[in-house]
Amino acid sequence: MELRTLRYFVAVAEELHFGRAAVRLHMSQPPLSRAIRKLEHDAGAVLFERSAAGVTLTPAGVVLLEESRALLDRADRMRVRVAAAAGAATLTVGILGDSTDPGAMRLAAAYRRRHPGVEVRIRETDLTDPTCGLRAGLVDVALTRGPFDETGLTVCELRADPVGAVLRADDPLACRDRLTLADLAGRRWFQFPEGTDPSWQSYWNGGEPREGPVVRAVQECLQAVLWNGTVGMTPLGHDHPGELAVVPLTDMAPSRVVAAWNGSDPNPLIRSFVRIATAAYRD
Amino acid sequence: MELRTLRYFVAVAEELHFGRAAVRLHMSQPPLSRAIRKLEHDAGAVLFERSAAGVTLTPAGVVLLEESRALLDRADRMRVRVAAAAGAATLTVGILGDSTDPGAMRLAAAYRRRHPGVEVRIRETDLTDPTCGLRAGLVDVALTRGPFDETGLTVCELRADPVGAVLRADDPLACRDRLTLADLAGRRWFQFPEGTDPSWQSYWNGGEPREGPVVRAVQECLQAVLWNGTVGMTPLGHDHPGELAVVPLTDMAPSRVVAAWNGSDPNPLIRSFVRIATAAYRD
DNA sequence: CAGCAACGATACCCGCGCGGTATCGGCCTC
DNA sequence: GAGGCCGATACCGCGCGGGTATCGTTGCTG
């Protein structure tokens, strides 16, 4: 009955579905089933009722879920407390600047609340650096969007947003309910400055080289659309001024919201941050 | 940072000595050293100061020790709570009857205090069954002494007591400060009834067949010594009537106080019991 | 000062556990 | 009754966590 196993159990107990829990845990379903069986054996109690109707918790499972959450929570705080005692009591979070995602600040606040002893610093960067200063060592963890060059980094997906084209409201295509990249052929797209991560640049240009004004921040993008008829893309689900229209693009891979950090194994402060972020973005 | 690793850490932190901690954990020293190093790496903090003078805890180590104890304690209670929720809320403890070891009852009391939801039943047996009814399925766990046939059981040593010969106070050998089995050659030793575990019988007869009165309980043994001049052995460190003398035997293997249970993996109630027992007997 | 004992670290080996893919079997839907 | 969904099972390969043997440092001792 190790902590890892309890994390598996909590995932299954929350999803009430082995397949989905396995996805959440970034593993395949059979080892998860086996781990739960072993847990049931170790605990000497059946934890789930597997029936055709679905998976439900037994009374023993309910008790274990409650206790496991408390235990894992405590273990997580412990890690951070130890790291803080060792002197690493500051966490610098990089956020993609002018972010249209309001979750980021709330997340930082939640982390502060959970680990009062840790000083959290926020560093916002413009759109020219999708790693938010991770590569330069300016931040411990980046809360950003893909894609970007991940060599030497570890990336954890938090959510995947479909993207849409941003058009002026009076654009002929603005009234369409969906578009493909082909519909936008020949348009001017906004560009990022020289030296920007190529895969990032390429993604937001729909996969091919384009012409257009160079921008550095979200506001500049929007202005470029309004004033010059440039097009661009943005994740769906965020608010934009009324003069702009966002039309879903059906042939674009979704934009992944990710947490990223240097190296492979995060320090406890980062680990806890990612954990909280994962849970926060799940809702 | 799994629970097993934290148990390792607590052992080292309490012993402040890798070798002794390894003994306590029933493992060898190198894997333990490696596990602690890995833990230090995962925690991102040095936990021990290794110097020629010995091993000491760093501030981060102190924090981790405190947190680990709380976490392991909670995990232990969790197991028992889950088992209880699944219906297994009774633990029957077998104790070697007329036990001269006062720890047993106190241990049961401690367990009751720790797990109020679990009903603890005590079953005392006489000296004819060193497994205290374990084989017959009458008890879940036996708190007893070795040696006995361990096939199908799991045995966990709690303590090892040197043994001494029990003699009448006016015996010529009673004034000696130590004896060997050879000194007792030709004496009558008390015997256990037919069918008693052979290795148990053999041990308390000093390794060879003897003649003498058949006894079933400790009191009978003592009476046999007092009235018939029979000799026998007893663990050192317990009180006996003034008419009896106990002289250490230098060539007898110590008598092992053990906890034992059926099968290989104990249910959570038994596991917790053994854990508490191990800690209690360490003092 | 040489020799030794104590103790943690290192090197290396081996078997088991855990995670993977492929497939099965029961049950529901259409 | 065919297909799909979902958990269980079978089987495989690798890495981790155990083991033994040995080293390096330190401090005590004759």
Side-chain angles (χ1 to χ4, degrees), chain B residues 144-227:
Chain B
T144 179
R145 289 187 173 275
F148 47 82
D149 176 20
E150 302 182 0
T151 53
L153 310 179
T154 307
V155 169
C156 172
E157 174 172 331
L158 301 175
R159 203 179 56 199
D161 296 321
V163 293
V166 190
L167 306 166
R168 235 166 41 193
D170 59 359
D171 194 288
L173 298 176
C175 54
R176 302 270 285 274
D177 61 347
R178 55 210 174 92
L179 291 172
T180 64
L181 290 173
D183 296 321
L184 299 168
R187 300 291 195 112
R188 287 167 59 82
W189 293 57
F190 48 70
Q191 303 295 307
F192 296 120
E194 194 101 5
T196 307
D197 187 298
S199 55
W200 170 255
Q201 169 88 268
S202 165
Y203 177 85
W204 293 108
N205 276 344
E208 29 187 310
R210 314 273 187 178
E211 290 286 318
V214 169
V215 297
R216 298 176 165 275
V218 171
Q219 285 308 316
E220 292 182 50
C221 298
L222 302 181
Q223 293 303 320
V225 173
L226 283 174
W227 292 87

Coordinates of all heavy atoms in Angstrom, one line a residue, chain B residues 144-227:
Chain B
T144 N 4.2 -15.1 21.3 CA 4.7 -16.3 21.9 C 6.2 -16.3 21.9 O 6.8 -15.3 21.7 CB 4.0 -17.5 21.3 OG1 4.5 -18.7 21.9 CG2 4.3 -17.5 19.8
R145 N 6.7 -17.5 22.1 CA 8.1 -17.7 22.0 C 8.5 -18.8 21.1 O 7.7 -19.8 20.9 CB 8.6 -18.2 23.4 CG 8.6 -17.1 24.5 CD 9.3 -17.6 25.7 NE 9.4 -16.4 26.6 CZ 10.4 -15.5 26.6 NH1 11.4 -15.7 25.8 NH2 10.4 -14.5 27.5
G146 N 9.6 -18.8 20.5 CA 10.1 -19.9 19.6 C 10.9 -20.8 20.5 O 11.0 -20.6 21.7
P147 N 11.4 -21.9 19.9 CA 11.2 -22.3 18.5 C 10.0 -23.2 18.4 O 9.6 -23.9 19.3 CB 12.4 -23.0 18.2 CG 12.9 -23.7 19.5 CD 12.3 -22.8 20.6
F148 N 9.4 -23.2 17.2 CA 8.3 -24.1 16.9 C 8.3 -24.3 15.4 O 8.9 -23.5 14.7 CB 7.0 -23.7 17.4 CG 6.6 -22.3 17.1 CD1 6.1 -21.9 15.9 CD2 6.8 -21.3 18.1 CE1 5.7 -20.6 15.6 CE2 6.5 -19.9 17.8 CZ 5.9 -19.6 16.5
D149 N 7.6 -25.3 14.9 CA 7.5 -25.5 13.5 C 6.8 -24.4 12.8 O 5.7 -24.0 13.1 CB 6.7 -26.8 13.3 CG 6.5 -27.1 11.8 OD1 7.2 -26.6 11.0 OD2 5.5 -27.9 11.5
E150 N 7.5 -23.7 11.9 CA 7.0 -22.5 11.3 C 6.4 -22.7 9.9 O 6.1 -21.7 9.3 CB 8.1 -21.5 11.2 CG 8.8 -21.2 12.6 CD 9.8 -20.1 12.5 OE1 10.1 -19.6 11.4 OE2 10.4 -19.7 13.6
T151 N 6.3 -23.9 9.5 CA 5.8 -24.1 8.1 C 4.4 -23.6 8.0 O 3.5 -23.9 8.8 CB 5.8 -25.6 7.7 OG1 5.1 -26.3 8.7 CG2 7.2 -26.1 7.5
G152 N 4.1 -22.8 7.0 CA 2.8 -22.2 6.8 C 2.5 -21.0 7.7 O 1.5 -20.3 7.5
L153 N 3.5 -20.6 8.5 CA 3.3 -19.4 9.3 C 4.4 -18.4 8.9 O 5.4 -18.7 8.3 CB 3.5 -19.8 10.8 CG 2.7 -20.9 11.4 CD1 3.1 -21.1 12.8 CD2 1.3 -20.7 11.2
T154 N 4.2 -17.2 9.4 CA 5.2 -16.1 9.3 C 5.5 -15.7 10.7 O 4.6 -15.5 11.5 CB 4.7 -14.9 8.5 OG1 4.3 -15.4 7.2 CG2 5.9 -14.0 8.3
V155 N 6.8 -15.6 11.0 CA 7.2 -15.3 12.3 C 8.1 -14.0 12.3 O 8.9 -13.8 11.4 CB 8.1 -16.5 12.9 CG1 8.8 -16.1 14.2 CG2 7.2 -17.7 13.1
C156 N 7.8 -13.2 13.3 CA 8.6 -11.9 13.4 C 9.2 -11.8 14.8 O 8.4 -11.7 15.8 CB 7.6 -10.7 13.1 SG 8.3 -9.1 13.4
E157 N 10.5 -11.7 14.8 CA 11.1 -11.7 16.1 C 11.0 -10.3 16.8 O 11.2 -9.3 16.2 CB 12.6 -12.0 16.0 CG 13.4 -11.9 17.3 CD 14.8 -12.4 17.2 OE1 15.0 -13.3 16.4 OE2 15.6 -11.9 18.0
L158 N 10.6 -10.4 18.0 CA 10.4 -9.1 18.8 C 11.6 -8.9 19.7 O 11.9 -7.7 20.0 CB 9.1 -9.1 19.6 CG 7.8 -9.4 18.7 CD1 6.6 -9.5 19.7 CD2 7.6 -8.2 17.8
R159 N 12.1 -9.9 20.3 CA 13.2 -9.8 21.3 C 13.8 -11.1 21.4 O 13.2 -12.2 21.0 CB 12.6 -9.3 22.6 CG 13.6 -8.6 23.5 CD 12.9 -8.2 24.8 NE 12.3 -9.3 25.5 CZ 11.4 -9.2 26.4 NH1 10.9 -8.0 26.7 NH2 10.8 -10.3 27.0
A160 N 15.0 -11.2 21.9 CA 15.7 -12.4 22.2 C 16.2 -12.4 23.6 O 17.0 -11.6 24.0 CB 16.8 -12.7 21.2
D161 N 15.6 -13.3 24.5 CA 16.1 -13.3 25.9 C 17.1 -14.5 26.1 O 16.8 -15.6 25.7 CB 14.9 -13.6 26.8 CG 13.8 -12.5 26.7 OD1 14.2 -11.4 26.7 OD2 12.6 -12.9 26.8
P162 N 18.2 -14.2 26.7 CA 19.0 -15.3 27.2 C 18.2 -16.1 28.2 O 17.3 -15.6 28.8 CB 20.2 -14.6 27.9 CG 20.0 -13.2 27.8 CD 18.7 -12.9 27.2
V163 N 18.5 -17.4 28.2 CA 17.8 -18.3 29.2 C 18.7 -18.8 30.3 O 19.9 -18.8 30.2 CB 17.2 -19.5 28.4 CG1 16.1 -19.0 27.5 CG2 18.2 -20.3 27.7
G164 N 18.1 -19.2 31.4 CA 18.9 -19.7 32.5 C 18.2 -20.9 33.0 O 17.0 -21.2 32.7
A165 N 19.0 -21.7 33.8 CA 18.4 -22.9 34.4 C 17.7 -22.5 35.7 O 18.1 -21.6 36.4 CB 19.6 -23.8 34.8
V166 N 16.5 -23.1 35.9 CA 15.8 -22.9 37.1 C 16.1 -24.0 38.1 O 15.9 -25.2 37.8 CB 14.2 -22.9 36.8 CG1 13.5 -22.4 38.1 CG2 13.9 -22.0 35.6
L167 N 16.6 -23.6 39.3 CA 17.0 -24.6 40.3 C 16.3 -24.3 41.6 O 16.0 -23.1 41.8 CB 18.5 -24.6 40.4 CG 19.4 -24.8 39.2 CD1 20.8 -24.4 39.5 CD2 19.3 -26.2 38.7
R168 N 16.3 -25.3 42.5 CA 15.9 -24.9 43.8 C 17.0 -24.1 44.5 O 18.2 -24.3 44.2 CB 15.6 -26.2 44.6 CG 14.2 -26.2 45.2 CD 13.7 -27.5 45.7 NE 14.7 -28.3 46.5 CZ 14.4 -29.5 46.7 NH1 13.2 -30.1 46.3 NH2 15.2 -30.3 47.4
A169 N 16.6 -23.2 45.3 CA 17.6 -22.3 45.9 C 18.7 -23.1 46.7 O 19.8 -22.6 46.8 CB 16.9 -21.3 46.8
D170 N 18.3 -24.3 47.2 CA 19.3 -25.0 47.9 C 20.1 -26.0 47.1 O 20.8 -26.9 47.6 CB 18.7 -25.7 49.1 CG 17.6 -26.7 48.6 OD1 17.4 -26.8 47.4 OD2 17.0 -27.4 49.4
D171 N 20.0 -25.9 45.8 CA 20.7 -26.8 44.9 C 22.2 -26.4 44.9 O 22.5 -25.2 45.0 CB 20.2 -26.6 43.5 CG 20.7 -27.7 42.5 OD1 21.9 -27.7 42.2 OD2 19.8 -28.6 42.1
P172 N 23.1 -27.4 44.9 CA 24.5 -27.1 44.9 C 25.0 -26.1 43.8 O 25.9 -25.4 44.0 CB 25.2 -28.4 44.7 CG 24.1 -29.4 45.1 CD 22.8 -28.8 44.8
L173 N 24.2 -26.2 42.7 CA 24.7 -25.3 41.6 C 24.0 -23.9 41.6 O 24.4 -23.0 40.8 CB 24.3 -26.0 40.2 CG 24.9 -27.3 39.9 CD1 24.3 -27.9 38.6 CD2 26.4 -27.2 39.8
A174 N 23.1 -23.7 42.6 CA 22.4 -22.5 42.6 C 23.2 -21.2 42.9 O 22.9 -20.1 42.5 CB 21.2 -22.5 43.6
C175 N 24.4 -21.5 43.5 CA 25.2 -20.3 43.8 C 26.1 -19.9 42.7 O 26.8 -18.9 42.7 CB 26.0 -20.6 45.1 SG 27.0 -22.1 44.9
R176 N 26.2 -20.8 41.7 CA 27.1 -20.5 40.5 C 26.5 -19.3 39.8 O 25.3 -19.0 39.8 CB 27.1 -21.7 39.6 CG 27.7 -22.9 40.2 CD 29.1 -23.0 40.1 NE 29.5 -23.4 38.7 CZ 29.6 -24.7 38.3 NH1 29.3 -25.7 39.1 NH2 29.9 -24.9 37.0
D177 N 27.4 -18.5 39.2 CA 26.9 -17.3 38.4 C 26.7 -17.6 37.0 O 26.1 -16.8 36.2 CB 27.9 -16.1 38.5 CG 29.2 -16.4 38.0 OD1 29.5 -17.6 37.8 OD2 30.0 -15.5 37.8
R178 N 27.1 -18.8 36.5 CA 26.7 -19.2 35.1 C 26.9 -20.8 35.0 O 27.7 -21.3 35.8 CB 27.4 -18.5 34.0 CG 28.9 -18.5 34.1 CD 29.6 -17.3 33.5 NE 31.0 -17.3 33.7 CZ 31.9 -17.8 32.8 NH1 31.5 -18.3 31.7 NH2 33.2 -17.8 33.1
L179 N 26.2 -21.4 34.1 CA 26.2 -22.8 34.0 C 26.3 -23.2 32.5 O 26.0 -22.3 31.7 CB 25.0 -23.5 34.6 CG 24.8 -23.4 36.1 CD1 23.4 -23.9 36.5 CD2 25.9 -24.2 36.8
T180 N 26.6 -24.4 32.2 CA 26.5 -24.9 30.9 C 25.6 -26.1 31.0 O 25.3 -26.6 32.1 CB 27.8 -25.4 30.3 OG1 28.3 -26.5 31.1 CG2 28.8 -24.3 30.3
L181 N 25.1 -26.6 29.8 CA 24.2 -27.7 29.8 C 24.9 -29.0 30.5 O 24.2 -29.8 31.1 CB 23.7 -28.1 28.4 CG 22.8 -27.0 27.8 CD1 22.5 -27.3 26.3 CD2 21.5 -27.0 28.6
A182 N 26.2 -29.1 30.2 CA 26.9 -30.2 30.8 C 26.8 -30.3 32.3 O 26.7 -31.4 32.9 CB 28.4 -30.1 30.4
D183 N 26.7 -29.1 33.0 CA 26.6 -29.1 34.4 C 25.3 -29.8 34.9 O 25.2 -30.2 36.0 CB 26.6 -27.7 34.9 CG 28.0 -27.0 34.7 OD1 29.0 -27.7 34.8 OD2 28.0 -25.8 34.3
L184 N 24.3 -29.8 34.0 CA 23.0 -30.3 34.4 C 22.8 -31.7 33.9 O 21.7 -32.3 34.0 CB 21.9 -29.4 33.8 CG 22.0 -27.9 34.4 CD1 21.1 -27.0 33.6 CD2 21.7 -27.9 35.8
A185 N 23.9 -32.4 33.4 CA 23.7 -33.7 32.9 C 23.2 -34.7 34.0 O 23.5 -34.5 35.1 CB 25.1 -34.2 32.4
G186 N 22.3 -35.6 33.6 CA 21.7 -36.5 34.5 C 20.6 -36.1 35.3 O 19.9 -36.8 36.0
R187 N 20.3 -34.8 35.3 CA 19.1 -34.3 36.1 C 17.8 -34.6 35.4 O 17.8 -34.9 34.2 CB 19.2 -32.7 36.1 CG 20.4 -32.2 36.8 CD 20.4 -32.5 38.3 NE 21.4 -31.7 39.0 CZ 21.1 -30.7 39.8 NH1 19.8 -30.4 40.1 NH2 22.0 -30.0 40.5
R188 N 16.8 -34.6 36.1 CA 15.4 -34.7 35.6 C 15.0 -33.4 35.1 O 15.1 -32.4 35.8 CB 14.5 -35.3 36.6 CG 14.7 -36.7 36.9 CD 13.9 -37.1 38.2 NE 12.5 -36.9 38.1 CZ 11.6 -37.8 37.5 NH1 12.1 -38.9 37.0 NH2 10.3 -37.5 37.5
W189 N 14.4 -33.3 33.9 CA 13.9 -32.1 33.3 C 12.4 -32.2 33.1 O 11.9 -33.3 32.9 CB 14.5 -31.7 31.9 CG 16.0 -31.4 32.0 CD1 16.9 -32.2 32.5 CD2 16.6 -30.2 31.5 NE1 18.2 -31.6 32.3 CE2 18.0 -30.4 31.7 CE3 16.1 -29.1 30.8 CZ2 18.9 -29.4 31.3 CZ3 17.0 -28.1 30.5 CH2 18.4 -28.3 30.7
F190 N 11.7 -31.1 33.3 CA 10.3 -31.3 33.0 C 10.0 -31.5 31.5 O 10.7 -31.0 30.7 CB 9.4 -30.2 33.6 CG 9.9 -28.8 33.4 CD1 9.8 -28.2 32.1 CD2 10.4 -28.0 34.4 CE1 10.2 -26.9 31.9 CE2 10.8 -26.7 34.2 CZ 10.7 -26.2 32.9
Q191 N 8.9 -32.3 31.3 CA 8.6 -32.7 29.9 C 7.2 -32.1 29.5 O 6.4 -31.8 30.4 CB 8.5 -34.2 29.8 CG 9.7 -34.9 30.3 CD 10.9 -34.6 29.3 OE1 10.8 -34.8 28.1 NE2 12.0 -34.1 29.8
F192 N 7.0 -31.9 28.2 CA 5.7 -31.6 27.8 C 4.9 -32.8 27.3 O 5.6 -33.8 27.0 CB 5.8 -30.5 26.6 CG 6.4 -29.2 27.1 CD1 7.6 -28.8 26.5 CD2 5.8 -28.5 28.1 CE1 8.1 -27.6 26.9 CE2 6.4 -27.3 28.5 CZ 7.6 -26.9 27.9
P193 N 3.6 -32.7 27.2 CA 2.8 -33.9 26.9 C 3.2 -34.4 25.5 O 3.6 -33.7 24.6 CB 1.4 -33.4 27.0 CG 1.4 -32.2 27.8 CD 2.8 -31.6 27.5
E194 N 2.8 -35.7 25.3 CA 2.9 -36.3 23.9 C 2.2 -35.4 22.9 O 1.2 -34.8 23.2 CB 2.2 -37.6 23.9 CG 2.5 -38.5 22.8 CD 3.5 -39.6 23.2 OE1 3.9 -39.6 24.4 OE2 4.0 -40.3 22.3
G195 N 2.9 -35.2 21.7 CA 2.2 -34.5 20.7 C 2.6 -33.0 20.7 O 2.3 -32.3 19.7
T196 N 3.4 -32.6 21.7 CA 3.8 -31.2 21.7 C 4.9 -31.0 20.6 O 5.6 -31.9 20.2 CB 4.5 -30.9 23.0 OG1 3.5 -31.2 24.1 CG2 4.8 -29.4 23.1
D197 N 4.9 -29.8 20.0 CA 5.8 -29.5 18.9 C 7.3 -29.9 19.3 O 7.8 -29.5 20.3 CB 5.8 -27.9 18.7 CG 6.6 -27.5 17.5 OD1 7.8 -27.8 17.5 OD2 6.0 -27.0 16.6
P198 N 7.8 -30.8 18.4 CA 9.1 -31.4 18.8 C 10.3 -30.4 19.0 O 11.1 -30.5 19.9 CB 9.5 -32.3 17.6 CG 8.1 -32.5 16.9 CD 7.3 -31.3 17.2
S199 N 10.3 -29.3 18.2 CA 11.4 -28.4 18.3 C 11.3 -27.6 19.6 O 12.3 -27.2 20.2 CB 11.5 -27.5 17.1 OG 10.3 -26.8 16.8
W200 N 10.1 -27.3 19.9 CA 9.8 -26.6 21.2 C 10.2 -27.5 22.4 O 10.9 -27.0 23.3 CB 8.3 -26.3 21.2 CG 7.6 -25.8 22.5 CD1 6.9 -26.5 23.3 CD2 7.7 -24.5 23.0 NE1 6.4 -25.8 24.3 CE2 6.9 -24.5 24.2 CE3 8.3 -23.3 22.6 CZ2 6.8 -23.3 25.0 CZ3 8.1 -22.2 23.4 CH2 7.4 -22.2 24.5
Q201 N 9.7 -28.7 22.4 CA 10.1 -29.7 23.4 C 11.6 -29.8 23.5 O 12.2 -29.7 24.6 CB 9.5 -31.0 22.9 CG 9.9 -32.2 23.7 CD 9.1 -32.5 24.9 OE1 9.3 -32.0 26.0 NE2 8.0 -33.2 24.7
S202 N 12.2 -30.0 22.4 CA 13.7 -30.2 22.4 C 14.4 -28.9 22.9 O 15.4 -29.1 23.7 CB 14.1 -30.5 20.9 OG 15.5 -30.3 20.8
Y203 N 14.0 -27.8 22.5 CA 14.7 -26.6 23.0 C 14.7 -26.5 24.5 O 15.7 -26.3 25.1 CB 14.0 -25.3 22.4 CG 14.6 -24.0 22.9 CD1 15.8 -23.5 22.3 CD2 14.1 -23.3 24.0 CE1 16.3 -22.3 22.7 CE2 14.6 -22.2 24.4 CZ 15.8 -21.7 23.8 OH 16.3 -20.5 24.3
W204 N 13.5 -26.7 25.1 CA 13.4 -26.5 26.6 C 14.0 -27.6 27.3 O 14.0 -27.6 28.6 CB 11.9 -26.2 27.0 CG 11.4 -24.9 26.4 CD1 10.6 -24.7 25.4 CD2 11.9 -23.6 26.9 NE1 10.4 -23.4 25.2 CE2 11.2 -22.7 26.1 CE3 12.7 -23.1 27.8 CZ2 11.4 -21.3 26.2 CZ3 12.9 -21.8 28.0 CH2 12.2 -20.9 27.2
N205 N 14.4 -28.7 26.6 CA 15.1 -29.7 27.2 C 16.6 -29.6 27.0 O 17.4 -30.6 27.2 CB 14.6 -31.1 26.7 CG 13.4 -31.5 27.5 OD1 13.1 -31.0 28.6 ND2 12.7 -32.5 27.0
G206 N 17.0 -28.5 26.5 CA 18.5 -28.3 26.2 C 19.0 -29.1 25.1 O 20.2 -29.3 25.0
G207 N 18.1 -29.5 24.1 CA 18.6 -30.1 22.9 C 18.7 -31.6 22.9 O 19.0 -32.2 21.9
E208 N 18.4 -32.2 24.0 CA 18.5 -33.7 24.0 C 17.3 -34.3 24.8 O 16.8 -33.6 25.7 CB 19.8 -34.2 24.6 CG 20.5 -33.3 25.6 CD 21.8 -33.8 25.9 OE1 21.9 -35.0 26.3 OE2 22.8 -33.0 25.9
P209 N 17.0 -35.5 24.5 CA 15.8 -36.1 25.2 C 16.2 -36.3 26.7 O 17.3 -36.6 27.1 CB 15.7 -37.5 24.6 CG 16.5 -37.5 23.3 CD 17.6 -36.4 23.5
R210 N 15.2 -36.0 27.5 CA 15.3 -36.1 29.0 C 14.2 -36.9 29.6 O 13.2 -37.3 28.9 CB 15.3 -34.7 29.6 CG 16.1 -33.7 28.9 CD 17.6 -33.7 29.4 NE 18.3 -32.6 28.8 CZ 19.5 -32.3 29.1 NH1 20.2 -33.0 29.9 NH2 20.1 -31.3 28.5
E211 N 14.3 -37.2 30.9 CA 13.3 -37.8 31.7 C 12.8 -36.8 32.6 O 13.5 -35.8 33.1 CB 13.9 -39.0 32.5 CG 14.2 -40.2 31.6 CD 13.0 -40.9 31.1 OE1 12.1 -41.1 31.9 OE2 13.0 -41.3 29.9
G212 N 11.5 -36.9 33.0 CA 11.0 -36.0 34.1 C 9.5 -35.9 34.0 O 8.8 -36.5 33.2
P213 N 8.9 -35.2 34.9 CA 7.5 -35.0 35.0 C 6.9 -34.2 33.9 O 7.6 -33.3 33.4 CB 7.3 -34.3 36.4 CG 8.6 -33.5 36.5 CD 9.6 -34.3 35.9
V214 N 5.7 -34.6 33.5 CA 5.0 -33.9 32.4 C 4.3 -32.7 33.0 O 3.6 -32.7 34.0 CB 4.0 -34.8 31.7 CG1 3.1 -34.0 30.8 CG2 4.7 -35.9 31.0
V215 N 4.5 -31.5 32.4 CA 3.9 -30.3 32.9 C 3.1 -29.6 31.7 O 3.4 -29.9 30.5 CB 4.9 -29.3 33.4 CG1 5.6 -29.9 34.6 CG2 5.9 -28.9 32.3
R216 N 2.2 -28.7 32.0 CA 1.5 -28.0 31.0 C 1.5 -26.5 31.2 O 1.2 -25.8 30.2 CB 0.0 -28.5 31.0 CG -0.2 -29.9 30.8 CD -1.6 -30.4 30.9 NE -1.8 -31.7 30.3 CZ -2.1 -31.9 29.0 NH1 -2.2 -30.8 28.2 NH2 -2.2 -33.1 28.5
A217 N 1.8 -26.1 32.4 CA 1.8 -24.6 32.6 C 3.0 -24.2 33.4 O 3.7 -25.0 34.0 CB 0.5 -24.3 33.4
V218 N 3.3 -22.9 33.4 CA 4.5 -22.4 34.1 C 4.5 -22.8 35.6 O 5.5 -23.2 36.1 CB 4.6 -20.9 33.9 CG1 5.7 -20.3 34.8 CG2 4.9 -20.6 32.4
Q219 N 3.3 -22.6 36.2 CA 3.2 -22.9 37.6 C 3.6 -24.4 37.9 O 4.3 -24.7 38.9 CB 1.8 -22.6 38.1 CG 1.5 -21.1 38.3 CD 2.6 -20.4 39.1 OE1 3.0 -20.9 40.1 NE2 3.0 -19.2 38.6
E220 N 3.1 -25.2 37.0 CA 3.5 -26.7 37.2 C 5.0 -26.9 37.1 O 5.6 -27.6 37.9 CB 2.8 -27.5 36.1 CG 1.3 -27.6 36.3 CD 0.7 -28.5 35.2 OE1 1.2 -29.6 35.0 OE2 -0.2 -28.1 34.5
C221 N 5.6 -26.1 36.2 CA 7.1 -26.3 36.1 C 7.7 -25.9 37.4 O 8.6 -26.6 37.9 CB 7.6 -25.3 35.0 SG 7.0 -25.7 33.4
L222 N 7.3 -24.7 37.9 CA 8.0 -24.2 39.1 C 7.7 -25.2 40.3 O 8.6 -25.5 41.1 CB 7.4 -22.8 39.5 CG 7.6 -21.8 38.4 CD1 7.1 -20.4 38.8 CD2 9.1 -21.7 38.0
Q223 N 6.5 -25.7 40.4 CA 6.2 -26.7 41.4 C 7.1 -27.9 41.3 O 7.6 -28.5 42.3 CB 4.7 -27.1 41.4 CG 3.8 -26.0 41.7 CD 4.1 -25.4 43.1 OE1 4.4 -26.1 44.1 NE2 4.0 -24.0 43.2
A224 N 7.3 -28.4 40.0 CA 8.1 -29.5 39.8 C 9.5 -29.3 40.3 O 10.2 -30.2 40.9 CB 8.1 -29.9 38.3
V225 N 10.0 -28.1 40.1 CA 11.4 -27.8 40.5 C 11.4 -27.8 42.0 O 12.3 -28.4 42.7 CB 11.8 -26.4 40.0 CG1 13.1 -26.0 40.6 CG2 11.9 -26.4 38.5
L226 N 10.4 -27.2 42.6 CA 10.4 -27.0 44.1 C 10.3 -28.4 44.8 O 11.0 -28.6 45.8 CB 9.3 -26.1 44.5 CG 9.5 -24.6 44.3 CD1 8.3 -23.8 44.7 CD2 10.7 -24.2 45.2
W227 N 9.4 -29.2 44.3 CA 9.1 -30.5 45.0 C 10.0 -31.6 44.6 O 10.2 -32.5 45.4 CB 7.6 -30.8 44.8 CG 6.7 -29.8 45.5 CD1 6.3 -28.7 44.9 CD2 6.2 -29.9 46.8 NE1 5.5 -28.0 45.9 CE2 5.4 -28.8 47.0 CE3 6.3 -30.9 47.8 CZ2 4.7 -28.5 48.2 CZ3 5.6 -30.7 49.0 CH2 4.9 -29.5 49.2

